[in-house]
Amino acid sequence: MNMWFLGTGAGRPFKHRNVTAIALQLPEPGCNWWLFDAGEATQHQVLRTPLKLNKLEAVFITHLHGDHFYGLPGLLSSRSFDGGVTPVQLFGPPGLKSYIDTVFALSGTQLDYELNISEIAVDEGIILNDERFTVEAGLLEHRVPCFGYRITEHDQPGKLLVHKLQELGIEAGPIYGQLKQGQTVTLPDGKVVRSEDVTGTSQRGRVVTVLGDTKPCGRALKLAADADLLVHEATFAAGMEEKAHEFGHSTTAEAAETAARAKAKRLVMTHFSGRYSNEDLSRLEEEASVKFGAVTAATDLYMTEIKR
């Protein structure tokens, strides 16, 4: 899995930094991708990456502040022009469906694919659970209802040990697939074969946490617990906690402290105030690293691999 930071700014775009949007590129074989927030001009940023709109599978909006979703209608519309015909799932706070329906109605926009919109309740937990991932949403502490998302990849069965199957006299066919999927199989002679007896060590699923705008809070810690990658806003530098909290934000030091307390493996900070240039980011990294070592301050179009 790869994560692309399409926009890393707070509030409004700047010459060196666009507003918030993050893409999670899913593993093979599908190689589809999910989008977290869609600030203004997100579709322009997508054009600067290998990502294709027709491969977009789901969109998760953290909250209804313009720098996090003003780019959504144009992006969804352009997906039709880019050959997108498969369904897209859209998740976000209450009011998101009304916004999209109104914009599309006034502009006469017609999509060539099915758009399924799910508005998240305040006490929501798991919002998506398919054969690959579980996604949990949790309410954070911001000026408007704002959610963080915890994406958990399901554990993957180990590699099928073909030589053991051959020793059991099992020829290649449907049984191989059943055992690979973790099922227990009864052979025609009555012998029971368990998946764990003919597969290697299973692969632990990865955990990625993407938090929306937030002050430090208990829900952020819960969503980020033991994450392989935590994405946390760091609107202000350390020492500016009072100003950050006034607007429902966090500082670099607070993002690092959340990562440390949650025992995350890596932290990527984003959503930087326009007062900081890209040249300032190394200083912001340094002050966060006092509390958490594995930290990166993202720039626009920064890509990181999420390894097992």
Side-chain angles (χ1 to χ4, degrees):
M1 289 195 292
N2 298 322
M3 179 162 277
W4 291 84
F5 289 80
L6 305 175
T8 57
R12 60 191 178 94
F14 296 88
K15 289 183 178 180
H16 56 284
R17 189 180 296 138
N18 199 46
V19 283
T20 299
I22 302 167
L24 180 62
Q25 197 170 12
L26 303 180
E28 296 180 347
C31 294
N32 296 328
W33 58 283
W34 293 352
L35 180 65
F36 294 84
D37 284 337
E40 180 184 351
T42 291
Q43 63 175 313
H44 289 264
Q45 296 292 81
V46 171
L47 293 173
R48 302 171 66 189
T49 73
L51 302 170
K52 303 298 181 185
L53 278 180
N54 59 12
K55 288 284 189 177
L56 176 62
E57 186 176 79
V59 181
F60 301 83
I61 300 299
T62 60
H63 64 294
L64 301 185
H65 276 160
D67 59 320
H68 291 258
F69 82 119
Y70 277 172
L72 184 58
L75 181 141
L76 294 174
S77 176
S78 293
R79 186 176 185 269
S80 287
F81 292 101
D82 213 29
V85 294
T86 54
V88 169
Q89 298 184 81
L90 173 59
F91 300 90
L96 181 60
K97 185 178 189 305
S98 175
Y99 170 76
I100 293 297
D101 288 347
T102 299
V103 171
F104 282 177
L106 292 174
S107 61
T109 299
Q110 299 289 328
L111 303 181
D112 294 331
Y113 58 91
E114 182 181 356
L115 178 64
N116 300 307
I117 304 177
S118 298
E119 295 187 337
I120 305 170
V122 170
D123 58 349
E124 199 77 56
I126 293 175
I127 59 171
L128 184 152
N129 189 13
D130 61 19
E131 69 278 2
R132 302 169 300 166
F133 298 95
T134 297
V135 180
E136 178 185 355
L139 188 66
L140 304 172
E141 292 189 16
H142 192 47
R143 292 178 293 157
V144 299
C146 182
F147 292 93
Y149 297 101
R150 179 182 174 91
I151 305 97
T152 302
E153 180 184 31
H154 297 171
D155 293 345
Q156 301 296 308
K159 184 178 180 181
L160 203 61
L161 303 177
V162 176
H163 69 280
K164 286 194 173 183
L165 294 171
Q166 292 173 342
E167 290 172 0
L168 293 170
I170 304 174
E171 298 182 358
I175 292 178
Y176 276 36
Q178 294 168 13
L179 291 168
K180 177 67 175 176
Q181 293 169 11
Q183 300 178 26
T184 297
V185 173
T186 302
L187 302 180
D189 62 3
K191 182 176 179 59
V192 176
V193 181
R194 301 182 305 166
S195 174
E196 55 265 37
D197 293 334
V198 292
T199 55
T201 304
S202 62
Q203 294 181 312
R204 185 185 69 84
R206 290 160 283 192
V207 176
V208 180
T209 300
V210 180
L211 301 181
D213 293 2
T214 187
K215 297 188 293 185
C217 63
R219 186 59 63 85
L221 286 171
K222 179 182 176 183
L223 292 171
D226 300 311
D228 293 280
L229 177 65
L230 167 62
V231 179
H232 198 302
E233 69 124 291
T235 309
F236 295 101
M240 299 189 67
E241 283 75 18
E242 184 176 350
K243 186 174 183 64
H245 297 176
E246 178 184 356
F247 295 99
H249 291 299
S250 299
T251 66
T252 54
E254 290 173 326
E257 184 172 353
T258 294
R261 292 180 61 192
K263 298 182 179 180
K265 295 180 177 62
R266 292 177 56 209
L267 167 66
V268 177
M269 300 185 300
T270 186
H271 199 268
F272 301 108
S273 166
R275 69 181 62 201
Y276 307 113
S277 68
N278 283 348
E279 288 69 31
D280 293 321
L281 295 185
S282 59
R283 173 173 62 86
L284 299 183
E285 277 185 3
E286 288 177 7
E287 62 187 31
S289 68
V290 173
K291 296 191 175 184
F292 187 82
V295 57
T296 301
T299 55
D300 280 19
L301 304 182
Y302 167 71
M303 186 277 286
T304 184
E305 181 182 0
I306 306 163
K307 297 181 180 180
R308 293 189 184 277

